[in-house]
C-alpha cells in the first residue's frame, strides 16, 4: 500500500510565527506502525518472560496485519496463541493470568468487539486494585483497532475509547506515529495497570523514524506536534493526521495552528493543552469518535474549567456525525471530519464565520484510500 | 447422576470429622452474628448469608492444598473463613474498617487475600469464572502443579461466561474444579424458570468435561467427590464440573421477603441441615459427646467475639486515602496518574530520537 498518507511529524512544519523550528535529530531508521508494534512486542517478550500474547488469530499467517508476525515461531505456542472468540471470558482469563504474575497482551482486530469484554474490563480489571485494598495489580494490555472507510460499516468502525476514559482504574492510549506506537506499547506492557491500547487501521500504514533500542513514551504526556499561535488544534489518534493536514490549509489564509497529540487519553496531559490555549485563546478538538460525552467533550470541559475567568476562550468540537457509520461511500465520507472541514472551522474561530472560507482540496493532502482487506 | 452415600467413609478420622463440624459451626455462628450486626446498623449494604450451604464450602475446601486457588462469589464469607482469612479481618471488612482484608473498600462481597490464594469475592454473577480459568492457565504455562476451584451458583449457569469458561478450560485442559453451588434459586428465580436443563452436571458433557452431582448437605460426600475430582484435575486430565445440590435457609440478601418460595419448602430443607446431619453421624459413631460439642461452640463463640472486637476497634481509612490505589503505582515506567499534572513541563515537543 502507498504511504502517501504519512506526514512527517519529525521535521516540524514551519508555522507562520514559530520562527526557526528546531530540527529533530536525523532518524536512524524508518519503520511502519505495524512493524513498530511488532518490534515493541518482540523486544518486551524477549526481555520479560512473563509477557504473553493472545487473541483470535494472533498466530494466523496474516498475523493481525503483521503486528504479531514471527512471534509464535520465536516464543512458541505457550506464549503466543490464538484463542476462541469468547471476548468476555478471554478478558477474564487475561485478568486471572495477570493476577497470577503474567503480563498478558490481548488483541482484538476491532474496538467494536470490546463491547463483549466490558464486564471484565470495567467491573473487574479496572476495580481490582482499589476494591481489594491495593493488594493486587492487573498488568494487562488490551490492543484494539478502529476501522475507517472501505465500507467498514456500523460495527467495525467505532472509536469507543471514551467509554474507558470514564472508568477510574483503566489507562487509555491512542498513539498516532510509529515512534509512539512502539514507545507507548512498551510503556503499556510494563505498566502494572490495565491499559487500553488503541490503534487505528489506517495508521498501520504510517511510516516514520523508530529507534531500534527500547524506549517508553510514558502515560500522561502529550506532544506538541507543530507549534502555532492562533488556534490550538488537538487531534486524537488518526485525526491527528487530519489536523496536521488542516494546518497546511490554514497556512494559506495566514492562520497559525498549534497542533497537539494527547497520545495518552487517561491519564490525560491537560496541562499541555491548557498552556497552549492560554496562548491562542482558541481550541478545536477533533476526535475519532462521537462528540457527545466523548474525549473531545472531556478535553474542552477541562480546559474551560481551568481557563474560565482567566482567559476568554472559544471552543469547538469535531467528531463523527451523530449517526451510525454508513457503508454508502458518499455518506461515509460525510460521516468523518476531514482536514478541509477542520481548517474551515479553525478559520471561523479566528476570523469569524462571515469569511465563509472553505479550502480547495490539495492533492498532496488528500486522504489515502484504504483498499482493505480488513 | 450419582450421589455418593456416605454412610461409611473409612478415611474419615474422628479428628477430621470434628474439624469439618467445627468449620461449619464457625460459618453458621459467624453469619448469625453478621445478621445481628446488620440489624444494628454495624454492617451496611449487601449481606448474603450462606447459612444452610456450609457443607459445600467446608467439604470442597477440605480437599484443597494450600497452593490451590479459590475464586468465589458474593456469598463467600464461609469460603474465606475456611480458607484461613482471620475472622477479625473478615468482620472488619464487613464493617468497612481499614484493618479489613480488603482495607474496608470491598465490603461483604469483595473479601480477598492473594497471600492465601483467595481471589475474591466478586459481585458480578459469573464474573469469577473466567478469572479462575486465567489463574489455571498461568499455572499450566508456568508448569506449577496446582488447581483452582471456581465457585459459582446456579444463576451463573445462565451467563455466557459459564459456557465460554468451560469451553476454554476443556479446550486447553486446564486444572479447574468448577464447583456449582446449586441452591435452586437465582436470587428469586427458581431453577426451573431459568434453565432448560436443570441437571447442571449434565452440562459438562457438551464440553467433554467429566461431571458429578453431589448432595451438598452432606459435607463428607462433598469432600469425597471433591478429592476424586481434584485428583483428575491435578493429574492434567483437565477441568471437572461438580454440582453441589444445596439450599440457603435464609433470604437471598438481607432485604428479601422470600415470596418466591414456600415456608414449607424451606422447612423441608432445614430438616436436612448439614450441621445437624454431621452432628448426628458423629454421635451415632460415638465420636462426639455433649461436652465436646459445647467445647466446639464455645471455641467458636470466643473467636467471633474476638472478631467483633477487631472490627469495632479498627480504624476508618483516612480521607486522604480516597484516591489511593486507583492505579498501582508504577515502579518500572516511572509515570502514572499523579505525574499527569506536571506534564506540561515535561511535554515533549518532538520525539526524542537520540540514542
Amino acid at each position: 500500500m502507498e504511504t502517501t498518507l504519512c506526514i512527517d511529524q519529525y521535521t516540524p512544519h514551519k508555522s507562520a510565527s514559530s520562527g526557526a523550528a528546531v530540527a529533530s535529530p536525523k532518524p536512524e531508521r524508518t519503520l511502519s506502525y505495524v512493524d513498530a508494534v511488532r518490534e515493541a512486542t518482540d523486544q518486551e517478550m524477549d526481555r520479560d518472560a512473563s509477557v504473553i500474547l493472545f487473541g483470535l488469530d494472533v498466530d494466523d499467517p496474516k498475523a493481525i496485519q503483521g503486528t504479531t508476525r514471527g512471534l509464535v515461531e520465536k516464543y512458541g505456542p505457550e506464549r503466543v496463541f490464538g484463542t476462541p472468540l469468547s471476548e468476555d471470558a478471554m478478558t477474564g482469563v487475561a485478568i486471572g493470568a495477570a493476577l497470577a504474575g503474567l503480563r498478558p497482551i490481548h488483541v482484538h482486530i476491532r474496538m467494536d468487539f470490546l463491547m463483549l469484554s466490558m464486564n471484565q474490563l470495567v467491573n473487574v480489571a479496572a476495580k481490582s486494585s482499589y476494591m481489594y485494598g491495593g493488594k493486587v495489580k492487573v498488568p494487562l494490555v488490551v490492543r484494539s483497532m478502529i476501522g475507517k472507510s472501505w465500507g467498514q460499516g456500523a460495527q467495525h468502525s467505532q472509536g469507543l475509547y471514551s467509554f474507558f476514559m470514564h472508568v477510574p482504574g483503566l489507562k487509555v492510549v491512542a498513539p498516532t506515529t510509529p515512534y509512539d506506537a512502539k514507545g507507548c506499547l512498551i510503556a503499556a506492557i510494563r505498566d502494572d495497570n490495565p491499559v487500553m491500547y488503541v490503534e487505528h487501521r489506517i495508521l498501520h500504514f504510517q511510516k516514520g523514524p523508530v529507534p531500534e533500542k527500547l524506549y517508553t513514551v510514558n502515560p500522561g504526556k502529550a506532544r506538541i506536534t507543530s507549534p502555532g499561535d492562533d488556534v490550538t488544534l488537538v487531534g486524537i489518534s488518526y485525526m491527528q493526521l487530519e489536523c496536521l493536514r488542516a494546518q497546511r490549509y490554514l497556512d494559506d489564509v495566514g492562520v497559525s495552528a498549534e497542533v497537539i497529540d494527547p497520545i495518552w487519553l487517561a491519564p490525560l496531559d491537560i496541562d499541555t493543552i491548557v498552556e497552549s490555549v492560554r496562548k491562542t485563546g482558541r481550541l478545536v478538538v477533533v476526535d475519532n469518535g462521537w462528540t457527545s460525552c466523548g474525549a473531545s467533550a472531556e478535553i474542552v470541559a477541562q480546559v474551560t474549567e481551568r481557563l474560565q475567568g482567566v482567559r476568554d476562550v472559544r471552543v469547538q468540537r469535531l467528531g463523527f456525525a451523530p449517526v451510525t457509520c454508513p457503508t454508502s461511500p458518499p455518506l461515509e465520507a460525510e460521516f468523518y471530519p476531514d482536514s478541509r472541514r477542520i481548517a474551515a472551522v479553525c478559520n471561523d474561530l479566528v476570523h469569524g464565520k462571515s469569511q465563509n472560507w472553505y479550502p480547495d482540496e490539495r492533492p498532496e493532502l488528500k486522504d489515502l484510500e484504504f483498499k482493505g482487506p480488513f | 447422576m450419582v450421589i455418593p452415600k456416605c454412610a461409611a467413609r473409612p478415611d474419615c478420622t474422628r479428628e477430621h470429622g470434628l474439624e469439618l463440624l467445627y468449620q461449619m459451626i464457625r460459618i453458621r455462628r459467624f453469619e448469625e452474628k453478621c445478621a445481628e450486626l446488620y440489624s444494628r446498623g454495624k454492617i451496611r449494604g449487601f449481606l448474603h448469608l450462606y447459612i444452610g450451604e456450609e457443607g459445600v464450602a467446608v467439604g470442597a475446601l477440605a480437599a484443597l492444598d494450600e497452593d490451590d486457588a479459590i475464586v468465589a462469589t458474593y456469598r463467600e464469607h464461609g469460603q474465606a473463613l475456611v480458607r484461613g482469612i482471620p475472622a477479625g479481618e473478615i468482620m472488619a471488612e464487613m464493617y468497612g474498617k481499614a484493618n479489613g482484608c480488603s482495607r474496608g473498600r470491598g465490603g461483604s462481597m469483595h473479601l480477598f487475600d492473594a497471600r492465601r490464594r483467595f481471589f475474591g469475592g466478586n459481585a458480578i454473577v459469573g464474573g469469577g469464572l473466567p478469572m479462575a480459568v486465567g489463574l489455571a492457565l498461568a499455572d499450566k504455562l508456568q508448569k506449577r502443579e496446582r488447581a483452582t476451584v471456581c465457585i459459582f451458583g446456579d444463576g451463573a449457569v445462565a451467563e455466557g461466561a459459564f459456557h465460554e469458561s468451560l469451553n476454554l478450560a476443556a479446550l486447553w485442559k486446564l486444572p479447574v474444579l468448577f464447583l456449582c453451588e446449586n441452591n435452586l434459586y437465582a436470587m428469586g428465580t427458581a431453577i426451573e424458570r431459568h434453565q432448560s436443563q436443570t441437571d447442571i452436571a449434565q452440562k459438562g458433557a457438551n464440553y467433554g468435561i467429566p461431571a458429578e452431582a453431589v448432595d451438598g448437605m452432606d459435607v463428607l460426600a462433598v469432600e469425597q467427590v471433591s478429592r476424586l475430582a481434584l485428583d483428575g484435575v491435578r493429574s492434567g486430565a483437565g477441568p471437572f464440573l461438580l454440582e453441589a445440590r444445596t439450599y440457603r435457609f435464609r433470604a437471598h440478601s438481607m432485604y428479601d421477603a422470600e415470596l418466591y418460595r414456600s415456608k414449607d419448602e424451606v422447612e423441608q430443607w432445614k430438616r436436612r441441615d448439614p450441621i445437624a446431619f454431621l452432628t448426628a453421624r458423629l454421635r451415632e459413631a460415638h465420636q462426639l459427646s455433649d461436652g465436646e460439642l459445647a467445647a466446639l461452640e464455645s471455641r467458636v463463640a470466643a473467636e467471633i467475639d474476638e472478631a467483633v472486637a477487631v472490627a469495632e476497634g479498627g480504624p476508618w481509612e483516612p480521607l486522604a486515602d480516597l484516591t489511593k490505589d486507583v492505579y498501582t503505582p508504577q515502579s518500572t515506567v516511572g509515570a502514572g496518574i499523579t505525574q499527569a499534572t506536571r506534564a506540561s513541563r515535561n511535554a515533549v515537543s518532538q520525539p526524542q530520537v537520540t540514542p
Side-chain angles (χ1 to χ4, degrees):
Chain A
M1 176 162 292
E2 293 293 312
T3 53
T4 48
L5 175 77
C6 179
I7 285 182
D8 183 4
Q9 295 186 41
Y10 304 91
T11 310
H13 174 66
K14 264 208 164 170
S15 195
S17 57
S18 63
V22 183
S24 292
K26 267 285 169 212
E28 60 199 78
R29 189 178 62 140
T30 295
L31 227 55
S32 72
Y33 194 112
V34 160
D35 287 333
V37 169
R38 200 207 62 78
E39 183 172 88
T41 313
D42 184 10
Q43 290 178 335
E44 282 299 286
M45 291 193 76
D46 186 53
R47 191 188 66 84
D48 182 351
S50 67
V51 179
I52 60 172
L53 173 73
F54 55 75
L56 183 78
D57 283 356
V58 299
D59 55 355
D60 178 87
K62 286 196 179 69
I64 315 292
Q65 340 296 356
T67 58
T68 61
R69 180 155 294 133
L71 297 176
V72 68
E73 291 80 1
K74 187 165 175 186
Y75 298 104
E78 294 207 324
R79 291 182 64 196
V80 180
F81 49 93
T83 72
L85 283 158
S86 304
E87 287 90 348
D88 176 18
M90 278 313 305
T91 307
V93 167
I95 294 167
L99 288 172
L102 298 178
R103 291 186 173 272
I105 306 170
H106 189 190
V107 186
H108 303 261
I109 56 166
R110 279 297 177 275
M111 191 163 207
D112 314 65
F113 309 156
L114 289 181
M115 298 305 96
L116 292 157
S117 304
M118 285 306 254
N119 174 48
Q120 289 295 332
L121 290 170
V122 174
N123 285 328
V124 187
K127 292 178 173 52
S128 289
S129 170
Y130 196 91
M131 173 169 84
Y132 298 132
K135 291 174 184 169
V136 284
K137 59 183 185 184
V138 183
L140 164 65
V141 179
V142 179
R143 281 182 51 201
S144 66
M145 290 149 217
I146 302 170
K148 179 177 187 279
S149 75
W150 189 60
Q152 303 263 344
Q155 296 170 339
H156 277 56
S157 62
Q158 299 174 89
L160 299 168
Y161 34 75
S162 66
F163 287 18
F164 303 102
M165 292 169 67
H166 186 67
V167 181
L170 298 176
K171 294 187 181 181
V172 185
V173 62
T176 306
T177 65
Y179 178 90
D180 288 340
K182 177 173 173 180
C184 291
L185 185 53
I186 292 176
I189 292 168
R190 295 181 188 179
D191 203 291
D192 282 337
N193 298 281
V195 179
M196 310 302 298
Y197 181 94
V198 185
E199 299 161 42
H200 194 289
R201 189 64 188 95
I202 290 185
L203 291 177
H204 277 164
F205 303 103
Q206 273 261 67
K207 285 187 175 167
V210 177
E212 225 170 309
K213 61 165 184 148
L214 283 88
Y215 60 92
T216 58
V217 174
N218 288 344
K221 287 182 186 178
R223 174 174 293 118
I224 298 165
T225 44
S226 197
D229 294 309
D230 298 329
V231 57
T232 301
L233 189 47
V234 177
I236 297 167
S237 179
Y238 167 76
M239 285 300 162
Q240 174 67 205
L241 293 190
E242 294 288 20
C243 287
L244 287 164
R245 292 184 183 120
Q247 187 199 41
R248 270 65 167 175
Y249 283 117
L250 287 164
D251 277 349
D252 296 345
V253 285
V255 172
S256 158
E258 177 149 292
V259 184
I260 296 177
D261 184 349
I263 310 174
W264 288 84
L265 297 168
L268 178 67
D269 176 9
I270 199 67
D271 286 9
T272 294
I273 300 170
V274 166
E275 287 315 306
S276 174
V277 180
R278 196 191 296 275
K279 174 176 68 178
T280 63
R282 301 178 187 93
L283 171 64
V284 175
V285 185
V286 190
D287 196 5
N288 235 336
W290 292 289
T291 54
S292 176
C293 302
S296 65
E298 180 59 28
I299 291 169
V300 165
Q302 287 199 39
V303 168
T304 309
E305 282 172 348
R306 289 275 291 274
L307 291 180
Q308 61 188 342
V310 178
R311 173 77 158 97
D312 187 31
V313 175
R314 302 191 66 197
V315 298
Q316 182 68 54
R317 289 177 294 156
L318 288 173
F320 293 171
V323 301
T324 294
C325 182
T327 52
S328 138
L331 289 185
E332 187 185 51
E334 189 65 14
F335 175 79
Y336 294 103
D338 64 14
S339 54
R340 291 193 295 159
R341 205 190 309 169
I342 296 165
V345 163
C346 290
N347 186 62
D348 286 352
L349 279 192
V350 176
H351 291 129
K353 286 191 178 179
S354 56
Q355 264 201 357
N356 204 24
W357 173 75
Y358 199 89
D360 294 328
E361 185 164 64
R362 277 162 50 181
E364 78 278 16
L365 296 179
K366 210 176 157 185
D367 195 7
L368 170 132
E369 192 190 343
F370 180 59
K371 296 189 175 112
F374 308 131
Chain B
M1 181 186 73
V2 181
I3 298 184
K5 304 287 180 206
C6 278
R9 239 197 65 186
D11 62 321
C12 182
T13 64
R14 175 173 177 275
E15 288 69 30
H16 187 63
L18 288 177
E19 172 66 17
L20 296 176
L21 181 64
Y22 163 67
Q23 292 293 354
M24 288 197 293
I25 292 175
R26 271 180 90 211
I27 300 172
R28 179 73 56 94
R29 301 292 173 250
F30 183 90
E31 290 204 320
E32 286 168 351
K33 177 58 80 174
C34 288
E36 178 200 323
L37 292 164
Y38 193 89
S39 64
R40 285 165 48 198
K42 295 284 189 182
I43 298 175
R44 305 181 311 141
F46 294 95
L47 183 68
H48 305 90
L49 300 181
Y50 194 58
I51 290 172
E53 304 184 39
E54 296 94 335
V56 182
V58 172
L61 268 61
L64 291 185
D65 292 339
E66 259 185 16
D67 281 352
D68 295 333
I70 298 166
V71 175
T73 69
Y74 51 84
R75 199 183 298 284
E76 88 287 30
H77 316 140
Q79 290 85 346
L81 277 170
V82 176
R83 189 55 175 180
I85 305 180
E89 285 184 30
I90 297 172
M91 192 62 88
E93 190 59 38
M94 306 280 206
Y95 272 60
K97 294 289 184 76
N99 55 339
C101 57
S102 303
R103 285 189 68 75
R105 288 160 164 212
S108 156
M109 302 193 286
H110 300 295
L111 305 178
F112 197 92
D113 189 342
R115 221 156 36 92
R116 293 182 173 85
R117 308 212 75 225
F118 188 85
F119 291 94
N122 195 318
I124 305 294
V125 172
L129 282 111
M131 184 194 289
V133 176
L135 289 164
L137 174 69
D139 282 339
K140 180 162 183 173
L141 292 180
Q142 300 185 329
K143 316 230 177 324
R144 291 183 295 241
E145 284 182 14
R146 56 193 194 187
T148 297
V149 60
C150 176
I151 303 167
F152 53 96
D154 52 294
V157 176
E159 298 284 1
F162 168 84
H163 300 276
E164 292 184 18
S165 298
L166 261 66
N167 180 53
L168 290 166
L171 183 68
W172 295 332
K173 290 201 179 318
L174 299 179
V176 185
L177 171 60
F178 291 103
L179 174 58
C180 179
E181 297 175 328
N182 178 6
N183 67 15
L184 303 177
Y185 289 90
M187 215 156 72
T189 298
I191 190 163
E192 297 79 16
R193 295 176 58 220
H194 74 74
Q195 287 299 312
S196 59
Q197 168 56 272
T198 57
D199 190 340
I200 290 172
Q202 292 281 347
K203 293 173 193 284
N206 248 2
Y207 301 101
I209 296 179
E212 197 81 69
V214 64
D215 179 3
M217 310 309 265
D218 179 349
V219 63
L220 294 169
V222 174
E223 184 189 1
Q224 190 175 38
V225 181
S226 299
R227 284 193 189 280
L228 290 172
L230 283 164
D231 284 347
V233 166
R234 289 205 185 88
S235 73
F240 193 98
L241 172 61
L242 178 58
E243 176 197 355
R245 295 185 176 165
T246 184
Y247 199 80
R248 64 173 155 74
F249 296 168
R250 306 287 280 251
H252 162 76
S253 184
M254 294 306 280
Y255 294 102
D256 171 9
E258 299 181 68
L259 301 176
Y260 48 83
R261 61 186 189 179
S262 70
K263 287 200 168 65
D264 183 53
E265 179 185 297
V266 178
E267 287 311 310
Q268 293 286 335
W269 275 94
K270 279 185 175 173
R271 282 182 214 148
R272 304 194 48 221
D273 186 318
I275 294 177
F277 179 80
L278 182 61
T279 304
R281 296 236 357 238
L282 290 169
R283 281 186 189 283
E284 280 163 26
H286 305 291
Q287 292 181 338
L288 178 69
S289 67
D290 289 349
E292 282 168 326
L293 186 57
L296 276 188
E297 288 280 6
S298 68
R299 188 172 147 210
V300 167
E303 185 188 9
I304 291 168
D305 285 349
E306 168 66 17
V308 174
V310 168
E312 288 283 342
W316 302 113
E317 198 173 6
L319 296 186
D321 283 2
L322 176 69
T323 55
K324 199 178 152 207
D325 297 322
V326 174
Y327 295 91
T328 301
Q330 206 52 36
S331 50
T332 43
V333 180
I337 193 86
T338 49
Q339 265 75 38
T341 51
R342 296 207 308 269
S344 67
R345 263 181 285 144
N346 303 333
V348 275
S349 58
Q350 290 300 322
Q352 291 154 350
V353 195
T354 43

